Amino acid sequence: MDPAEFRRHGHALVDWVADYMERVASLPVTPDVEPGDIAARLPLRPPEEPEPFEAILRDLDEIVMPGITHWQSPGWFAYFPANVSGPGILGELASAGLGVQGMLWATSPACTEIELRVVDWLVDLLGLPEHFKMAVGPGGGSIQVSASDSTHLMHVVARHRSAAPADRLVAYGSSQAHFSVQRGARVAGFGHVRKVATDERHALDPGALEAAIEADVADGLVPAIVTSAVGTTGTGAVDPIGAIGAIAEAHGLWHHVDAAWAGSAMVLPEQRVHQAGVERVDSYTFNPHKWLFTNFDCNVLWVADRAPLGAALSDTAAIMRNPASESGAVVDLRDWQLPLGRRFRALKLWWVLRSYGARGLRHHVGEHLRLAGELAERVSEHPRLEHAAPTSFALVNLRHADGDEATDRLAAAINASGHSHVTASTIDERSYIRVSIGQTWTTAEHVDRLWTTIEENA
Ligand SMILES: *Cc1c(COP(=O)(O)O)cnc(C)c1O
């Protein structure tokens, strides 16, 4: 494909994506396929002869689209959002066009310098501590693949920092913590992972954490890290990070905050009460790729002090030696992650932050919060619906008053509507429905459409 052909097909593809944005609201959110249906449309062997790109693009409609779950439907209320935006998509395109590897400052200086500056901007946008900024220090942030691997990485750093053998190390998180906490600890070699009890709001109970740490110390184990959640995946519960931080400090634990989804809400100053105490945490991660209009993958991880991260991960392979690295004047981001190579993900984040501006981000996230608040009120007023857990940020947790079967039936009816999609789950062994509002193009109209379906089936 020469540049002229690329231009022609590229224009056609941009048109295709723009058309998709215009029609996604009218497509059924989930595809009607059985396992193997899509694979059955692909030949078993790779093509021997080159194919015209027109044919390849045609199969986007014929083969791919029938098997797509429309995460960008404004009726997407399932899991959490993975929202996108025009500037985010174009940033991905430009990054693909440049195709640079940002493992070292020297392998593409703009990739590192823009990333560090944009991640510093996010410190201001989310009201995080100044010392998280690379330009202030001693902390710093970078873009990682996902919240799960950032949480795993923090367990690796906590293990490295501790002198004790890994099989005596203990990691803590609440019983509602994302499974990446448990898995991250296990993969990092931790001998013990504690799921600490939660209170009636499903937030970690600091008294139970203190008791668990003391019991482990009495048994000769070494408590090394605790992860607090600002917004659990189940119900959006917020752990008290101030109280947890005080316990972590008293016992010498690394304190990591997983704000994967709810971190985006911190663009609104009035939401920051939910991260009170953040100025004393050791690390903090959140996903612009969930709720901040930036295409997956884009997760940010900050550490309050860069030294332990570098100590755990940096390495000096001969092939990577270069004058800039040796001068000490630059940061080589491969030292802050397990993979060597890294994409130019800062481009899309930079473009999103500039296109929306802080005001635009506050407006759009604020709208999602407002819509969730209105839906929560409707649930409160409905005679046959209940709140399964408090509404948290833009996540409404509801259930049918008649019990699990009625709740499961309601969830199935919503998902059968085609226009709206929710996730059915369980909390305390009872069914509930998660309505998570946050797709870029979701407006009152789409929440009304969901509500009508709820009312008709409740
Ligand atoms: C979504 C989520 C994660 C996982 O995020 P990835 O970036 O997909 O790894 C971790 N923790 C919480 C609380 C989440 O909601």
Side-chain angles (χ1 to χ4, degrees):
M1 191 182 285
D2 62 24
E5 278 180 286
F6 177 82
R7 194 182 308 277
R8 188 161 57 82
H9 297 307
H11 287 168
L13 185 59
V14 168
D15 280 342
W16 188 95
V17 175
D19 289 345
Y20 178 67
M21 289 172 171
E22 284 174 351
R23 70 194 169 102
V24 62
S26 61
L27 299 174
V29 183
T30 51
D32 181 19
V33 288
E34 297 299 323
D37 280 358
I38 304 299
R41 299 182 195 185
L42 302 175
L44 283 173
R45 308 257 174 246
E48 173 65 20
E49 296 302 325
E51 296 183 56
F53 204 74
E54 283 82 0
I56 297 170
L57 269 186
R58 199 178 319 121
D59 285 345
L60 193 51
D61 286 312
E62 313 226 321
I63 298 180
V64 180
M65 288 304 274
I68 289 293
T69 300
H70 298 289
W71 284 72
Q72 304 316 324
S73 167
W76 182 263
F77 303 110
Y79 307 108
F80 280 136
N83 66 18
V84 304
S85 61
I89 296 165
L90 293 174
E92 282 282 45
L93 179 59
S95 168
L98 292 170
V100 300
Q101 277 291 346
M103 53 216 182
L104 303 174
W105 176 88
T107 60
S108 210
C111 183
T112 297
E113 295 195 9
I114 292 171
E115 177 164 331
L116 294 176
R117 178 56 48 88
V118 169
V119 167
D120 274 5
W121 282 2
L122 279 169
V123 170
D124 291 330
L125 288 170
L126 304 191
L128 294 171
E130 281 289 305
H131 63 260
F132 277 17
K133 286 186 182 172
M134 186 67 202
V136 178
S142 64
I143 299 176
Q144 307 272 332
V145 177
S146 79
S148 302
D149 79 314
S150 295
T151 294
H152 169 241
L153 189 55
M154 292 302 94
H155 284 77
V156 171
V157 170
R159 184 196 68 196
H160 188 263
R161 188 177 80 132
S162 158
D167 63 354
R168 283 174 53 214
L169 294 180
V170 195
Y172 304 81
S174 91
S175 60
Q176 291 296 315
H178 191 265
F179 71 86
S180 57
V181 172
Q182 204 178 359
R183 193 166 60 173
R186 201 170 64 220
V187 175
F190 276 65
H192 310 268
V193 186
R194 303 280 179 244
K195 292 183 166 189
V196 180
T198 51
D199 63 16
E200 70 292 342
R201 295 176 68 90
H202 310 293
L204 185 145
D205 171 2
L209 174 65
E210 176 88 52
I213 290 173
E214 281 168 9
D216 285 331
V217 171
D219 283 346
L221 299 177
V222 182
I225 179 170
V226 58
T227 299
S228 297
V230 174
T232 59
T233 311
T235 63
V238 176
D239 293 341
I241 64 179
I244 294 168
I247 295 168
E249 266 175 34
H251 294 275
L253 278 73
W254 185 277
H255 185 198
H256 174 59
V257 173
D258 173 4
W261 160 69
S264 295
M266 303 306 153
V267 296
L268 292 157
E270 65 271 24
Q271 297 297 327
R272 295 179 192 156
V273 290
H274 298 295
Q275 61 181 16
V278 73
E279 50 294 323
R280 282 159 68 182
V281 308
D282 294 297
S283 52
Y284 183 105
T285 194
F286 102 106
N287 290 150
H289 70 219
K290 271 189 176 143
W291 191 12
L292 212 61
F293 317 106
T294 308
N295 287 56
F296 190 89
D297 53 335
C298 186
N299 175 78
V300 180
L301 170 69
W302 285 277
V303 288
D305 181 1
R306 303 192 288 272
L309 180 57
L313 292 186
S314 68
D315 163 41
T316 48
I319 191 174
M320 293 292 145
R321 293 229 179 91
N322 69 85
S325 298
E326 271 154 35
S327 75
V330 301
V331 170
D332 292 324
L333 286 171
R334 59 112 196 217
D335 290 341
W336 293 11
Q337 62 176 24
L338 190 58
L340 172 62
R342 55 194 342 268
R343 307 202 303 123
F344 196 169
R345 288 170 298 204
L347 210 45
K348 61 187 169 188
L349 181 57
W350 187 37
W351 290 9
V352 167
L353 299 184
R354 292 179 65 186
S355 296
Y356 279 78
R359 184 164 61 79
L361 296 174
R362 286 193 301 269
H363 169 75
H364 289 279
V365 171
E367 271 298 289
H368 293 149
L369 294 172
R370 190 182 65 75
L371 293 172
E374 284 179 5
L375 178 66
E377 249 171 66
R378 287 166 159 181
V379 169
S380 300
E381 286 162 9
H382 194 285
R384 291 183 301 284
L385 296 175
E386 298 173 354
H387 291 278
T391 292
S392 175
F393 305 104
L395 177 64
V396 181
N397 304 288
L398 63 98
R399 67 181 165 217
H400 199 289
D402 292 350
D404 288 354
E405 225 175 277
T407 301
D408 295 344
R409 245 195 335 263
L410 177 57
I414 296 166
N415 291 345
S417 74
H419 57 66
S420 299
H421 206 73
V422 295
T423 303
S425 184
T426 57
I427 183 91
D428 297 334
E429 288 161 34
R430 291 181 66 183
S431 296
Y432 75 110
I433 297 170
R434 292 169 77 270
V435 179
S436 155
I437 299 175
Q439 202 285 322
T440 313
W441 302 301
T442 301
T443 64
E445 175 199 342
H446 308 102
V447 182
D448 285 346
R449 192 166 66 167
L450 166 70
W451 178 249
T452 303
T453 305
I454 291 176
E455 274 196 314
E456 283 168 5
N457 292 280

